[in-house]
Amino acid sequence: MTASFVVSDVHGHPDKLAASLLEAELVDAEGNWSGRDAVLWLLGDFFDRGPDGIGVLRLVRRLSAQASQGTGEVRMLLGNHEILALGMHKFGDEAVPHDGITLRSFERSWALNGGIDRDQELLTDEDVAWLLDQPMLGLDAGHLLMHSDTAEYVEWGSTIDEINAGARADLHSDDITVWWEIWRRMTSRYAFRGPEGPELARTLLQHLGGERIVHGHSIVADQMGIDPAWVTGPLLYCEDLVLGIDAGTFDGGPSLVVELEPLGETGDDTGDDTGE
């Protein structure tokens, strides 16, 4: 059976990611794909808070091309910091219309959330086009994969295909208010905490597929109340229905590469059959 791996929230630390992939035997000592028929998912947030988000993007795109030459696959899902980086690239300091008095712009949010000038300077049109067509959700080995621990994804549709197609259509819009709503949805978090978390998780799984949700975005160390440097593995919570894998790489934590335990459903779905 093909092995599937997930990693999230690299945040500008390609060397940490490469070291973890080497340890997982997915790349060789030269940093080239060696995962044979394995599937590697990156659950978003390449950019910001670390020095080299572009380096992470370049690494992922190179490994994706190498894996596709054989039987392996490297896939990504969009995170909120991809939306932020792309929004900054597209709209800069253009004001976002709203009823409040506080200025809203992608530039302001980018600066407040660890934006790195170098990432914007080196982001190419080809990079942008590639990112705009990446999905929001995936399904693999019985796991529902997402970046943010939120139920906001269902605002785009009621299936993985509908959600990925709806989000992709919004990302190809030139309307700044549409983009700001994507950013708002993707920054939401903690939906699976607390007494109502299991019911929500079960509802999402029932409608979207899978037996367990896997997400990044919310740092495992924060949820456990420990220093990121002490994190050694993912956090299984919400009655074992949810697995958090963001180890706080930018804040001294590791870059966790986690092998997914097969949970019954072996198919995968990223909405790539929508024709968009």
Side-chain angles (χ1 to χ4, degrees):
M1 181 178 293
T2 300
S4 296
F5 297 82
V6 289
V7 61
S8 187
D9 297 84
V10 182
H11 280 301
H13 288 84
D15 292 344
K16 275 191 173 184
L17 173 60
S20 294
L21 294 175
L22 177 62
E23 185 176 356
E25 299 183 347
L26 294 174
V27 302
D28 60 24
E30 285 72 45
N32 295 310
W33 179 255
S34 62
R36 299 175 299 281
D37 62 347
V39 178
L40 171 65
W41 293 83
L42 294 105
L43 307 190
D45 280 11
F46 296 173
F47 298 103
D48 308 332
R49 294 184 174 154
D52 193 9
I54 283 291
V56 177
L57 178 63
R58 297 282 186 268
L59 173 60
V60 172
R61 295 196 65 185
R62 177 169 59 80
L63 292 178
S64 179
Q66 291 175 347
S68 68
Q69 294 172 6
T71 56
E73 291 184 86
V74 176
R75 301 181 174 187
M76 78 161 289
L77 303 180
L78 292 168
N80 61 305
H81 281 266
E82 276 71 56
I83 306 307
L84 183 58
L86 290 168
M88 170 62 182
H89 178 81
K90 186 176 181 70
F91 298 106
D93 64 355
E94 180 180 341
V96 179
H98 69 110
D99 295 334
I101 59 174
T102 303
L103 174 65
R104 286 183 178 178
S105 71
F106 276 98
E107 182 182 56
R108 184 173 187 273
S109 288
W110 173 80
L112 289 171
N113 286 278
I116 304 297
D117 288 335
R118 181 175 181 273
D119 289 343
Q120 291 292 318
E121 291 165 1
L122 297 180
L123 191 65
T124 68
D125 290 343
E126 184 185 3
D127 292 329
V128 170
W130 184 80
L131 286 166
L132 288 175
D133 282 335
Q134 299 307 307
M136 290 286 185
L137 298 179
L139 186 66
D140 196 340
H143 296 78
L144 176 60
L145 309 177
M146 59 182 63
H147 173 72
S148 304
D149 45 328
T150 180
E152 292 275 350
Y153 291 103
V154 299
E155 296 298 319
W156 279 299
S158 57
T159 68
I160 289 177
D161 284 347
E162 287 180 1
I163 289 166
N164 287 337
R168 186 179 292 122
D170 282 354
L171 286 167
H172 284 82
S173 166
D174 292 325
D175 188 334
I176 193 172
T177 60
V178 170
W179 271 77
W180 192 261
E181 177 63 9
I182 304 172
W183 164 242
R184 185 201 65 76
R185 289 177 185 174
M186 295 293 289
T187 56
S188 177
R189 67 175 78 236
Y190 301 146
F192 310 118
R193 283 188 178 187
E196 297 180 358
E199 180 180 358
L200 177 58
R202 288 190 180 93
T203 299
L204 282 179
L205 290 166
Q206 179 183 354
H207 288 281
L208 300 179
E211 297 181 28
R212 178 176 293 160
I213 293 167
V214 180
H215 70 82
H217 192 48
S218 294
I219 298 174
V220 167
D222 291 345
Q223 300 209 66
M224 297 177 67
I226 62 175
D227 189 283
W230 293 3
V231 174
T232 58
L235 175 66
L236 185 61
Y237 69 107
C238 191
E239 298 183 4
D240 293 350
L241 294 168
V242 182
L243 188 71
I245 66 167
D246 178 1
T249 303
F250 76 91
D251 198 25
S255 183
L256 289 180
V257 176
V258 179
E259 185 170 359
L260 294 177
E261 169 194 0
L263 294 178
E265 296 186 27
T266 57
D268 60 74
D269 183 1
T270 60
D272 291 339
D273 59 351
T274 60
E276 296 198 12

